[in-house]
Amino acid sequence: MRINKVLFFLKRIGTFSLLIMVFSILISSCVSQRDLEYLRVKDRSDKVIQSFDEPRITDYKLQINDELQIDIKSLDDPSTNVFQQISPEISGYTTPFSASLSAYMVDKTGYIQLPILGNIYVREKTITEVIALLQDSLNQVLSYPQVKVKLVNRYVSVFGEVRNPGHFNFTQEKLTVYNALSMAGDITTYGARNRVVLVRNENGKNSRINLDLSTSDIMASEYYYLRPNDMIYVRPMRKRFLGFNEFPWQLLLTSVSTGVLLYTVFGQ
C-alpha cells in the first residue's frame, strides 16, 4: 500500500515537473514582435515623418584585383577602338561575368595596363581620380577624349541567419545594409537584428563593426551604406538554440512513454 502511495506521489511530482519544464522552455524560446522589428524609434514618437541627416560617405578607393570597365570616346573615333575590349553579351545584355571578361584588372602592384598609355597606377584612387588621370593622359593622343569608368566587381556577401545567404552583385552607387539583407531574403525569425556584424577591409586592415538594425539611428550611421567587398554576418539569437522548432520533442515523447510504461508495470 505504501509503495502505491509513493509511486502515485512520484507520478504527480514527475508530471508537474515535466509540465513546468516544458512551459519554461517554451516561454524562454518565444520570439516577441519587438525582436523582429526594424527601425524602431527610442522615444516612441508618433510623428509621421522623422528625418535623419544623410551619413557622410567617402568615395571608394580601388584595391588590388578590382576590375574597371573603361569606355573612351573621342572625335577620332577609329583611334578609340584600340582601347575597347571585346565585351561578350549573353541573352542580349551584359552580365557581371561578361563585364568582368572585358574589364581592366588592378594588378598586385596597383596598376592597370592600357594600350598606348601603358601602366597607370590606380590603387587607392577613387573612380573620379582615375577618370581625371586617364583624361589627362589621353589628351596627348586623342582629340577631346571623354572617359567613363565603372567598377565592375561590386559585390557584398551576406551570411548567417538569413534565408538565402550568398555573394551578391550590385550596380547602384548606394547600397544600404537593408538592401543587402533584402537580396539575401531577409533575416530569419531567429536572427539577432540588434547584433549584426559588418566586416570591411580598408587599407589592408579588416574591421569588425557591430550594427543595430532594430533602431532608426542606423540611418544616420556612416555604415548605413555598404561598400564593395563588404561582408554582413547576422548572428543567431540565443533563443535559437532553445527554440520551439529546435525542441527535442522525440526525446520528450520517449521519456513520457517510458514513464507511462514503468507506472503501468510497477504502479498497479
Side-chain angles (χ1 to χ4, degrees):
M1 188 68 179
R2 288 182 178 179
I3 293 177
N4 288 338
K5 289 182 177 181
V6 170
L7 290 173
F8 179 76
F9 178 75
L10 291 176
K11 175 192 174 186
R12 295 293 298 272
I13 293 296
T15 302
F16 181 74
S17 299
L18 181 62
L19 291 175
I20 291 296
M21 180 185 71
V22 173
F23 180 75
S24 299
I25 291 175
L26 291 178
I27 290 297
S28 65
S29 64
C30 285
V31 177
S32 67
Q33 178 180 343
R34 188 174 178 81
D35 291 328
L36 303 179
E37 289 179 351
Y38 294 110
L39 302 173
R40 290 200 306 264
V41 181
K42 291 182 179 179
D43 60 4
R44 297 183 178 276
S45 173
D46 293 328
K47 294 180 180 179
V48 176
I49 299 177
Q50 291 185 318
S51 302
F52 294 87
D53 292 334
E54 179 82 353
R56 188 177 66 87
I57 306 172
T58 57
D59 291 336
Y60 176 74
K61 294 185 178 181
L62 297 173
Q63 303 296 323
I64 293 173
N65 294 328
D66 275 346
E67 298 172 340
L68 300 176
Q69 193 172 53
I70 300 175
D71 183 37
I72 298 173
K73 302 294 185 184
S74 168
L75 293 179
D76 306 322
D77 283 336
S79 301
T80 61
N81 291 335
V82 69
F83 296 102
Q84 308 305 321
Q85 303 235 54
I86 297 176
S87 179
E89 295 186 354
I90 300 176
S91 302
Y93 65 94
T94 303
T95 67
F97 175 72
S98 64
S100 178
L101 292 177
S102 63
Y104 294 93
M105 178 179 286
V106 181
D107 65 25
K108 61 182 180 180
T109 60
Y111 288 88
I112 57 173
Q113 187 175 39
L114 276 74
I116 301 177
L117 299 182
N119 291 329
I120 306 292
Y121 189 79
V122 297
R123 185 180 181 184
E124 294 299 326
K125 295 185 183 299
T126 66
I127 295 296
T128 301
E129 291 172 338
V130 172
I131 291 175
L133 182 62
L134 293 178
Q135 188 92 35
D136 185 60
S137 299
L138 288 167
N139 281 331
Q140 312 301 320
V141 296
L142 294 175
S143 298
Y144 301 101
Q146 293 182 341
V147 182
K148 292 182 180 179
V149 178
K150 184 176 181 180
L151 182 65
V152 172
N153 58 315
R154 289 180 178 272
Y155 289 97
V156 291
S157 298
V158 186
F159 58 102
E161 282 292 331
V162 291
R163 291 184 172 84
N164 301 301
H167 192 56
F168 303 98
N169 174 262
F170 66 98
T171 58
Q172 58 267 48
E173 290 296 324
K174 293 182 178 181
L175 181 81
T176 71
V177 62
Y178 293 110
N179 292 146
L181 290 171
S182 296
M183 292 190 292
D186 200 5
I187 298 177
T188 66
T189 303
Y190 287 105
R193 286 152 177 78
N194 61 340
R195 298 169 64 237
V196 174
V197 176
L198 167 64
V199 178
R200 174 173 293 174
N201 183 283
E202 293 181 294
N203 302 320
K205 181 183 295 185
N206 287 320
S207 300
R208 181 183 183 278
I209 302 108
N210 293 319
L211 304 178
D212 184 356
L213 304 185
S214 64
T215 71
S216 296
D217 294 343
I218 186 65
M219 290 193 291
S221 168
E222 61 181 301
Y223 303 110
Y224 181 58
Y225 291 106
L226 300 181
R227 296 181 183 174
N229 303 317
D230 277 353
M231 293 187 292
I232 296 293
Y233 168 58
V234 181
R235 295 176 177 178
M237 292 182 187
R238 293 184 178 89
K239 299 174 183 180
R240 174 74 168 81
F241 301 101
L242 292 175
F244 186 85
N245 293 331
E246 306 297 322
F247 187 76
W249 295 106
Q250 185 174 0
L251 177 61
L252 174 62
L253 292 175
T254 301
S255 300
V256 171
S257 300
T258 302
V260 171
L261 178 62
L262 290 174
Y263 178 74
T264 302
V265 174
F266 298 104
Q268 301 299 329

